[in-house]
Amino acid sequence: MIGLLRTYLRPYVAPLALVMVLLLVGAIGNLYLPALNADIINNGIEKGDNGYIVRTGALMLAVTGLLGAASIFAVYWGARVAMGFGRDVRSALFGKVETFSQVEVNHFGPASLITRNTNDVLQVQTVVFMALTVMISAPILIVGGIIMALRTDVPLSGLLLVVLPLMGLVIGLVMGRAIPMFRAIQAKIDRINQVMRETLSGVRVIRAFVRTDHEARRFDDASLDLFDTTIRVNRLFAVTIPTMTAIFNLSTVAVMWFGAYRVNSGAMPIGNLTAFLQYLTQILFAVLTAVFMFILIPRGAVSAGRIREVLDTEPTIRDPESPIVLGPEDRLGTVEFRDVEFRYPGAEQPILRGISFTAERGQTTAIVGSTGSGKSTLVNLIPRFYDATEGAVLVDGIDVRQMARDDVWSRIGLIPQKAFLFSGTVATNLRYGDEAATDDELWRALEIAQGRDFVEQMEGGLEAPIVQGGANVSGGQRQRLSIARALVKKPGIFLFDDSFSALDFSTDSRLRAALARELGGATMIIVAQRVGTIMNADRIVVMDAGRVVGIGTHRELLADNETYREIVYSQLSEAEAVA
Ligand SMILES: Nc1ncnc2c1ncn2[C@@H]1O[C@H](COP(=O)(O)OP(=O)(O)OP(=O)(O)O)[C@@H](O)[C@H]1O
Ligand SMILES: [Mg+2]
């Protein structure tokens, strides 16, 4: 936690110093008031000096006013610093997560990353806020209180020797048990978020499979688990706080008891007894605040640890130190796989092995293969979502690992297998590819993607709202919008990962015809399950269990490739296949 605080509080040194000064002023004022009070009793009331009472009373009033002002400003600035700190940490986390590749995201899990950026930051931010408003003054009040108590009456101060260690003992015992529980609580909040996320994103599957009860139970379990631990922590503190109060009340009684003897024997003026009581109250109250802080600190420390874990994770896929920069004239439009092997992190077996082929400029290269044969994995290596474990993937003749990722990404238009839309409007989604695109260009892209008709029918046309994840358009419409989005970007290389699967056959063929007509110069890599989609490709790469088992045109493969023939004849009749 210290490291995190040191880094992210640095910009706030000036307001922090101000808060400290204000708190110091406040603490000194608090320590001064009982002394004035004692003066009024000892020198004013006892001696019947009205003038002294009024003068000292006015001073007390002034000190109180100053105190009030100081604490208002202290809280104001403390809050500003704490909130600013929280904002900075959140944006640092967000920035870091943006650099993560799939590997790191999967390592933490999206749910945990969300908790870390919200709840965990909140915990640390609360500690900072409490620290700046109460914690800093606690030690001043404790030490100052002890000094003032000693000045007021030394023998009576002996009581502190009993009370303070007793409190220390109780605090120590509580903390030893509470810290591990707080760690468990944060992990359990993660779990709840994870179940919640899965339920929300899989809501249709859950209903269709009549698993609503099952999911509700899963949530209940996670929720109960958190409940149990939280209850245990609260039970612990439920015992602690009355214990503290009891210690506090017993000490007051003891002060009155022994103090009365000393006043009676004339060893101590009565005003000092009042002052002493007030100091005792201040000291023990400060200790209680400190305890309250101790409830927050371990929790904050756990959260800070979880935040650091994310901030300290270096993405496995990074831009090279000195990337090769290519000009627009170098856009060869080629994608080459050179003896590529790929193994998912932690997996025993490679998913792809010995993949070599080139997608030439202006040509359509199709990739077919049974489900799970590694087609999407292969496509993901081109934009560096993952890096090949052996061999190399080259875009425009350069190893993608030697280029800046922005550069690689600007060269390709990816239409992922799971079409994803952002919340906003049709237009904002399409302009994701190119912010400066005109409405005409958007309509043009929609026309090629066969999306013009349905967008025209949507209320608002280009300005029609799209909800989160694109849930208010159909699967096929979503695919066409995500194709149009890539078209707006106008890259030299298109990667279609099964992007036509949700289209009916005639839309599919119209779309492909439009693509061929409009994007003659672009390189296209099309992954598909449907033979009809890829039959006319310039070159077809046949995949089976992570290997390339054949490359050629439809005719060539049909003649001599067993795997390809199997795929074809499972979908088409012999007559259709050779047509
Ligand atoms: N993130 C991942 N971690 C580990 N293994 C994975 C991961 N993603 C995919 N796999 C495995 O890699 C293999 C190939 O998956 P991939 O998604 O590339 O298949 P595909 O050919 O695109 O299939 P489909 O036609 O169904 O889309 C599968 O056996 C899958 O279990
Ligand atoms: Mg796939």
Side-chain angles (χ1 to χ4, degrees):
M1 180 146 80
I2 305 289
L4 197 71
L5 295 181
R6 196 181 305 149
T7 316
Y8 290 96
L9 282 177
R10 190 161 296 149
Y12 299 101
V13 174
L16 270 177
L18 179 68
V19 172
M20 302 242 188
V21 171
L22 289 171
L23 288 174
L24 193 67
V25 170
I28 293 174
N30 267 319
L31 291 171
Y32 187 39
L33 282 179
L36 288 176
N37 191 20
D39 276 350
I40 291 185
I41 298 173
N42 294 341
N43 305 327
I45 299 176
E46 292 282 282
K47 294 180 186 144
D49 182 347
N50 273 339
Y52 189 83
I53 296 177
V54 171
R55 263 179 284 122
T56 320
L59 184 58
M60 281 182 82
L61 211 59
V63 172
T64 313
L66 186 70
L67 263 179
S71 69
I72 288 173
F73 281 109
V75 171
Y76 175 74
W77 283 103
R80 283 197 69 132
V81 170
M83 300 308 136
F85 166 85
R87 180 195 57 211
D88 294 351
V89 173
R90 267 192 293 273
S91 68
L93 271 172
F94 187 78
K96 189 78 194 193
V97 171
E98 275 199 318
T99 69
F100 281 0
S101 71
Q102 284 302 312
V103 181
E104 289 81 40
V105 173
N106 293 345
H107 168 72
F108 288 106
S112 178
L113 286 174
I114 293 173
T115 321
R116 285 170 209 242
N117 202 0
T118 48
N119 188 289
D120 284 306
V121 175
L122 187 67
Q123 302 296 341
V124 183
Q125 183 183 306
T126 310
V127 171
V128 173
F129 177 68
M130 294 304 287
L132 290 181
T133 44
V134 297
M135 191 171 54
I136 296 179
S137 34
I140 309 176
L141 283 175
I142 294 172
V143 176
I146 292 175
I147 295 172
M148 295 304 279
L150 281 170
R151 274 193 42 181
T152 315
D153 194 74
V154 177
L156 213 48
S157 304
L159 271 173
L160 290 173
L161 287 178
V162 183
V163 181
L164 289 180
L166 197 62
M167 282 189 123
L169 183 72
V170 176
I171 294 170
L173 284 177
V174 172
M175 285 311 122
R177 307 195 48 184
I179 294 178
M181 286 198 240
F182 284 126
R183 191 162 295 135
I185 284 182
Q186 289 313 99
K188 285 168 190 179
I189 293 179
D190 265 8
R191 173 91 190 120
I192 288 200
N193 282 355
Q194 190 200 340
V195 176
M196 191 76 194
R197 243 181 79 96
E198 274 183 19
T199 306
L200 288 179
S201 46
V203 67
R204 291 184 200 158
V205 182
I206 294 166
R207 291 201 183 134
F209 283 79
V210 204
R211 299 287 275 182
T212 315
D213 284 348
H214 170 81
E215 284 303 307
R217 241 188 340 268
R218 220 156 68 95
F219 186 82
D220 276 350
D221 288 346
S223 181
L224 259 179
D225 199 17
L226 176 65
F227 174 83
D228 283 342
T229 316
T230 317
I231 288 280
R232 276 201 291 142
V233 169
N234 280 310
R235 210 179 283 146
L236 189 61
F237 286 109
V239 182
T240 314
I241 292 169
T243 311
M244 290 296 183
T245 321
I247 295 177
F248 177 74
N249 287 333
L250 286 175
S251 349
T252 314
V253 172
V255 168
M256 295 296 246
W257 182 276
F258 293 112
Y261 277 114
R262 286 186 55 76
V263 171
N264 209 15
S265 66
M268 179 169 82
I270 180 126
N272 287 24
L273 179 60
T274 333
F276 192 90
L277 259 183
Q278 284 173 338
Y279 285 129
L280 184 78
T281 315
Q282 274 180 2
I283 294 169
L284 297 191
F285 192 70
V287 172
L288 271 182
T289 354
V291 171
F292 184 58
M293 278 310 297
F294 280 119
I295 299 176
L296 295 174
I297 286 177
R299 202 163 173 182
V302 171
S303 289
R306 285 161 48 93
I307 293 168
R308 279 229 76 104
E309 227 185 310
V310 178
L311 291 176
D312 290 346
T313 300
E314 282 310 318
T316 44
I317 297 182
R318 254 175 303 171
D319 282 345
E321 297 270 314
S322 44
I324 297 181
V325 184
L326 294 178
E329 69 281 3
D330 297 311
R331 303 214 163 196
L332 306 175
T334 57
V335 176
E336 183 184 350
F337 280 74
R338 215 175 263 175
D339 211 12
V340 169
E341 181 206 272
F342 178 74
R343 185 195 307 264
Y344 276 107
E348 303 232 319
Q349 295 294 324
I351 294 288
L352 300 175
R353 253 178 285 202
I355 307 279
S356 292
F357 71 89
T358 308
E360 302 286 355
R361 173 191 203 133
Q363 295 201 342
T364 301
T365 304
I367 301 173
V368 277
S370 55
T371 172
S373 56
K375 304 181 298 293
S376 296
T377 307
L378 186 143
V379 167
N380 283 341
L381 297 181
I382 303 172
R384 287 194 79 194
F385 292 156
Y386 292 99
D387 270 343
T389 37
E390 294 284 340
V393 179
L394 293 83
V395 167
D396 293 343
I398 309 288
D399 189 333
V400 288
R401 284 168 296 193
Q402 292 177 328
M403 287 195 258
R405 276 173 302 167
D406 281 346
D407 195 6
V408 180
W409 293 337
S410 73
R411 283 155 197 272
I412 55 184
L414 171 70
I415 298 97
Q417 186 163 19
K418 268 192 264 173
F420 183 86
L421 299 178
F422 296 90
S423 52
T425 64
V426 171
T428 58
N429 269 285
L430 297 185
R431 288 215 173 87
Y432 219 75
D434 175 11
E435 300 227 358
T438 62
D439 280 6
D440 282 344
E441 287 175 292
L442 301 189
W443 283 118
R444 186 93 199 94
L446 282 169
E447 204 166 297
I448 301 173
Q450 308 299 309
R452 186 169 190 133
D453 291 350
F454 80 83
V455 172
E456 270 171 352
Q457 275 162 26
M458 286 170 81
E459 196 150 342
L462 283 178
E463 298 309 318
I466 298 287
V467 303
Q468 196 180 13
N472 61 339
V473 289
S474 79
Q477 291 171 339
R478 202 154 49 230
Q479 280 193 339
R480 279 175 281 169
L481 286 178
S482 95
I483 291 171
R485 174 171 62 195
L487 290 171
V488 169
K489 187 174 165 189
K490 298 199 190 74
I493 301 165
F494 285 92
L495 308 176
F496 295 94
D497 186 358
D498 221 354
S499 316
F500 313 117
S501 59
L503 308 180
D504 58 68
F505 199 80
S506 72
T507 311
D508 178 357
S509 63
R510 266 184 286 129
L511 198 151
R512 275 182 294 109
L515 286 176
R517 205 168 50 238
E518 304 287 336
L519 304 173
T523 310
M524 284 195 255
I525 297 183
I526 298 182
V527 172
Q529 304 270 5
R530 269 207 301 252
V531 177
T533 309
I534 48 100
M535 242 160 61
N536 301 319
D538 297 298
R539 167 200 300 254
I540 299 167
V541 178
V542 186
M543 304 235 348
D544 187 31
R547 287 175 188 280
V548 173
V549 294
I551 299 181
T553 61
H554 176 66
R555 263 170 215 294
E556 290 163 7
L557 289 169
L558 204 57
D560 66 7
N561 191 286
E562 192 50 42
T563 317
Y564 188 68
R565 259 204 302 263
E566 263 172 38
I567 299 174
V568 172
Y569 290 132
S570 68
Q571 299 180 17
L572 306 177
S573 71
E574 205 139 337
E576 285 170 318
V578 292

